[in-house]
Structures are given as C-alpha cells and as structure tokens.
C-alpha cells in the first residue's frame, strides 16, 4: 500500500510535466498500463518507450492538478486533465480516469478510462 506522501509525490511529478520521470521513479519493473480495453503494455522499459513516443508527437503538454485523488489500500484513482498542443498549433483537452494498483510504494498496474473521441 502506498503512503499518501508517495502518491502526492507521484502526482507532483506528473503535474510538473515529467511524465517519463514519473514512470522511471514510481512504476515497478513488471508494471503494466492499459488504455480502455486495448491490450496492456507490460514492463517499465515498454512504458517509458511508449510515453517518449507519445510526447514526441506533440509540441507540448500542460498537466492540470488532478480533479480527484482517491486512495484505498493498494488502489488509487486519479482524475487527470491534460491539454495537448499539437505541432500545427491546435489543442486537445484529454480528460481521463486512471485506476492504479500499487505494490508497496510502486505502481504495478494502471488502466486509463477516457472517451477516445477526445484524442482525434
């Protein structure tokens, strides 16, 4: 079960814009991430590579402080809002819920729930 301090440090890292650093510091080596019903990505190296590739496709990302952070034992739910600026200057708002399972102080499983229409 993560401490509230650890979850708050994770959130602060993401809000600061260090999305890759958050994976490096707060995810277990065997962690997985899943987008809605898509097959999960597995392994910290794969998660980092995917995040770097996603960030390379945009000009910038502004991460809003979470709307809600709920901690219940090993389960953490976070309501995120991200504003992406694309290379052509257009913007997209991305509103998602992340449901995480922690093992001790590290995330081992994360699933994102969002409307795919928001990421056209």
């Amino acid at each position: 079960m993560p401490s509230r301090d650890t979850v708050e440090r994770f959130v602060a890292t993401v809000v600061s814009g260090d999305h890759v650093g958050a994976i490096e510091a707060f995810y277990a080596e065997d962690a997985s991430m899943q987008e809605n019903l898509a097959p999960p990505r597995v392994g910290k190296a794969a998660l980092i590579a995917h995040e770097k590739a996603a960030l390379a496709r945009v000009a910038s990302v502004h991460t809003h402080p979470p709307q809600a952070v709920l901690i219940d034992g090993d389960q953490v739910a976070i309501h995120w809002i991200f504003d992406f600026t694309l290379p052509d200057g257009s913007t997209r708002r991305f509103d998602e819920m992340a449901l995480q399972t922690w093992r001790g102080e590290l995330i081992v499983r994360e699933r994102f729930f969002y409307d795919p229409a928001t990421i056209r």
Side-chain angles (χ1 to χ4, degrees), residues 88-107:
D88 67 2
S90 65
T91 59
R92 301 281 187 274
R93 176 157 284 189
F94 191 60
D95 186 329
E96 74 176 10
M97 285 296 302
L99 180 59
Q100 303 169 334
T101 301
W102 290 65
R103 182 186 327 127
E105 297 292 304
L106 296 173
I107 300 165

Side-chain angles (χ1 to χ4, degrees), residues 65-113:
Q67 299 296 301
V69 178
L70 306 172
I71 303 169
D72 184 15
D74 290 337
Q75 301 297 310
V76 175
I78 304 173
H79 181 193
W80 292 109
I81 295 177
F82 304 97
D83 289 327
F84 291 94
T85 301
L86 305 180
D88 67 2
S90 65
T91 59
R92 301 281 187 274
R93 176 157 284 189
F94 191 60
D95 186 329
E96 74 176 10
M97 285 296 302
L99 180 59
Q100 303 169 334
T101 301
W102 290 65
R103 182 186 327 127
E105 297 292 304
L106 296 173
I107 300 165
V108 293
R109 186 171 42 249
E110 185 166 42
R111 185 168 173 192
F112 304 108
F113 299 89

Side-chain angles (χ1 to χ4, degrees), residues 6-23:
T6 297
V7 174
E8 288 173 357
R9 286 187 295 111
F10 167 75
V11 167
T13 302
V14 176
V15 169
S16 79
D18 189 4
H19 297 238
V20 173
I23 296 170

